[in-house]
Structure formats: structure tokens, C-alpha cells
Amino acid sequence: MNNNLSQNFQRKKYSTQKKGRRNFSFSIDKRQKFVIGTILLSLGLFFSEFQFGRSGLFVPLLLGILTVLTLFWAINKDIKENQSNEAFILPFFYSLSFGMFYFLTPTVFVFRLLLTAIYAFGLYSVFLSQNILAVSSIRTISLLSGARIVSFVTTLISYFFLTNIVFTLHTNIFVVIMLIIIYSSCLIYHSLWTYTLQKFSRALFNWILTLTACLIEAGILLWFWPSSPTFIALFMTGFFYSIVGLSHIWFERRLFKGIIWEYVWVGCIIFFVLVLSTQWGK
């Protein structure tokens, strides 16, 4: 009798210990991974100047790669289901553009801190939007419209920073054309994918080729234009917004007259800003 009671007590004790171990075990969900990744990458951006100095020019590329790895760590299960590798394009270029633009800004602590905070907020938003887009390619999600808007806004920010950097280099026109081709085609591909959520196809390639060609022609013209890199980048970003935005509403079958005029007015405004900022006679 006593032996049976002792055995039952030992079983209950072992079961309680086992349950206790289960309670102490934990798993990190996707949002927590996004928060961890955002904090670490933001700290890496903030301390890059103080730690690496001139060699910090290699940091933006490393930052972009780490951003892709962080997103893969968080949504690898969803990616295995639908192979939505397009979701990694924007996070890479977002961190790359911020990292490169970071070295062009004034070395003031408060300004750098503010820029890092903006980067962190945008990066977390990018992570959330790409997660929604990756999942939306296999099932319908109500937050898809918001994810597309966030994705497009951060794409415009990335495009502005990258274009500003390219024209700040004041390098050979062929180098400028090659750089514009690389980041423009990638960002256009990602931006169109957010509305189609389809695999790469010949029709999508034609869209990318056409829109990239328009941006290249504008970039060649602006290479000779006597204006500052900031205003040139502003014009190129506005032009990107107009042609890619019109492509979005074409895919949504909302190409109405009123919507078209909105993009036309945006194009006119940025053109007048470019003309007013032109340093004629210099």
C-alpha cells in the first residue's frame, strides 16, 4: 500500500516537473522577431559611423543583407508555402538606401538619432507589409490594401535616397545609367508584384522594361540638367510615383479620368520645382 502511494507520488511529481518545463519553454512569434530585428538593425545603423568611419561605406550593403536574413527568419514558413521571394526586394533596398544616405547627412547627434528613429519605424512597417503581402499570395487578407500603401511609400523613400546618392557621386553617365537600371528595375518589379501577387512572367517583364526605360531617359536628361542632386532626386521620385502609380490603377481597373489628372498634376508640380531650382548660367 505504502509502495503504491510512493509510486503515485513520484509519478505526479515527475508529471508536475515535466509540465513546469513546458511552461518555461517559449517560442518567438513573427512580430517579436520583427521588433528584435528592427532594434538590432537600427543600432547597427546608428553606431556605423562612430565604429567604422570611412570603411562604414560597406555597412549599408551588410545592413541590407542582414535585413533580408531577419525577414527570412521571421516568415520562412510562409515563404516555403508560396515561394514569394519578391518580398525580400524592398527590405534590402530600404536598408541599403538609408545606410548610404546616412553618411551624407550632418554628423549631429540629435539629427542622427532622429534619422535612426525614422529608419526603425519604417523598417518595422516594411516587415509587417511584406509579411502581409507574402501571406496574401496564397490567401485573402483584409489588410492587403494597407500593406500596399505602406510598401509604395517606403519604396518612394528608398528611390529618393538612392537617386540622391547616385547623382551626388557626379560620376560618368554610363555608371549613372547602370545604377539607375539596377535599383529602378528591382523596385518597379517589387511594386508591381504588390498588386499582381503573381510569379515573374513575360507580361510583367514588359511592364518592368518599359517603365525602367522611361526612368533611364529621364535620368540621362537630368544628368545634363544644372540642378542639385536633391532636386533631381525629387523629380525622379515624382516621376517614378506617377508612372508606377498609373500602372497600379491599371492593374486595379480604376484608370478613370479624375485619377489620371491627379498624377498629371503631381508631374507638373515636380517639373516646376525642378525648373525653379535650376541654376541657369552656371
Side-chain angles (χ1 to χ4, degrees):
M1 182 75 176
N2 291 333
N3 290 334
N4 291 334
L5 289 174
S6 178
Q7 291 176 359
N8 290 333
F9 177 76
Q10 291 294 334
R11 290 195 192 100
K12 290 181 179 179
K13 183 178 180 182
Y14 176 76
S15 177
T16 303
Q17 291 176 349
K18 193 173 181 181
K19 288 180 180 179
R21 293 193 193 100
R22 288 177 181 174
N23 291 334
F24 280 109
S25 64
F26 65 94
S27 59
I28 304 177
D29 59 22
K30 285 190 288 188
R31 285 182 177 269
Q32 292 172 331
K33 291 178 181 179
F34 291 155
V35 171
I36 294 172
T38 299
I39 293 174
L40 294 178
L41 290 168
S42 300
L43 290 174
L45 176 68
F46 182 75
F47 290 108
S48 59
E49 178 199 5
F50 307 100
Q51 183 67 27
F52 297 97
R54 290 185 178 274
S55 62
L57 293 174
F58 297 98
V59 173
L61 182 60
L62 177 62
L63 199 67
I65 294 173
L66 291 176
T67 303
V68 171
L69 293 177
T70 301
L71 182 61
F72 180 78
W73 172 49
I75 65 171
N76 62 87
K77 293 182 180 179
D78 298 322
I79 295 297
K80 288 179 181 178
E81 293 181 10
N82 52 26
Q83 297 296 321
S84 300
N85 298 321
E86 294 85 354
F88 298 107
I89 297 176
L90 178 58
F92 173 78
F93 281 101
Y94 178 80
S95 289
L96 178 68
S97 63
F98 251 93
M100 297 183 71
F101 186 77
Y102 197 76
F103 292 97
L104 299 179
T105 57
T107 57
V108 180
F109 177 80
V110 177
F111 187 83
R112 291 294 175 92
L113 187 63
L114 177 62
L115 190 63
T116 303
I118 295 172
Y119 167 76
F121 176 77
L123 182 62
Y124 184 73
S125 301
V126 167
F127 282 154
L128 291 178
S129 63
Q130 300 315 297
N131 174 51
I132 293 171
L133 290 167
V135 175
S136 296
S137 59
I138 55 176
R139 60 179 180 271
T140 303
I141 295 182
S142 58
L143 298 175
L144 179 58
S145 178
R148 286 170 172 169
I149 295 173
V150 171
S151 181
F152 193 44
V153 170
T154 49
T155 298
L156 294 174
I157 295 172
S158 303
Y159 196 87
F160 173 78
F161 285 165
L162 290 171
T163 307
N164 196 355
I165 294 162
V166 167
F167 281 92
T168 300
L169 297 174
H170 298 290
T171 186
N172 189 285
I173 187 173
F174 297 105
V175 177
V176 172
I177 292 173
M178 183 58 63
L179 293 174
I180 292 176
I181 290 173
I182 293 172
Y183 68 81
S184 295
S185 58
C186 291
L187 291 177
I188 288 172
Y189 175 33
H190 176 272
S191 190
L192 295 181
W193 170 77
T194 61
Y195 278 79
T196 61
L197 297 177
Q198 297 176 358
K199 298 299 180 182
F200 188 81
S201 61
R202 183 60 181 272
L204 188 58
F205 173 76
N206 292 334
W207 275 94
I208 297 170
L209 185 63
T210 303
L211 298 180
T212 304
C214 294
L215 290 167
I216 293 171
E217 292 175 0
I220 294 173
L221 175 63
L222 293 173
W223 190 82
F224 297 97
W225 198 274
S227 185
S228 65
T230 301
F231 285 104
I232 291 175
L234 182 63
F235 177 84
M236 288 286 290
T237 305
F239 188 49
F240 180 94
Y241 166 80
S242 297
I243 61 176
V244 177
L246 287 171
S247 302
H248 289 167
I249 63 176
W250 171 269
F251 288 131
E252 289 187 314
R253 300 293 188 267
R254 296 190 303 108
L255 200 61
F256 305 123
K257 184 178 179 180
I259 297 178
I260 295 175
W261 272 109
E262 291 179 8
Y263 288 96
V264 171
W265 280 114
V266 170
C268 292
I269 291 172
I270 61 173
F271 176 75
F272 283 121
V273 170
L274 179 67
V275 171
L276 292 174
S277 66
T278 303
Q279 301 170 358
W280 301 107
K282 293 186 180 182

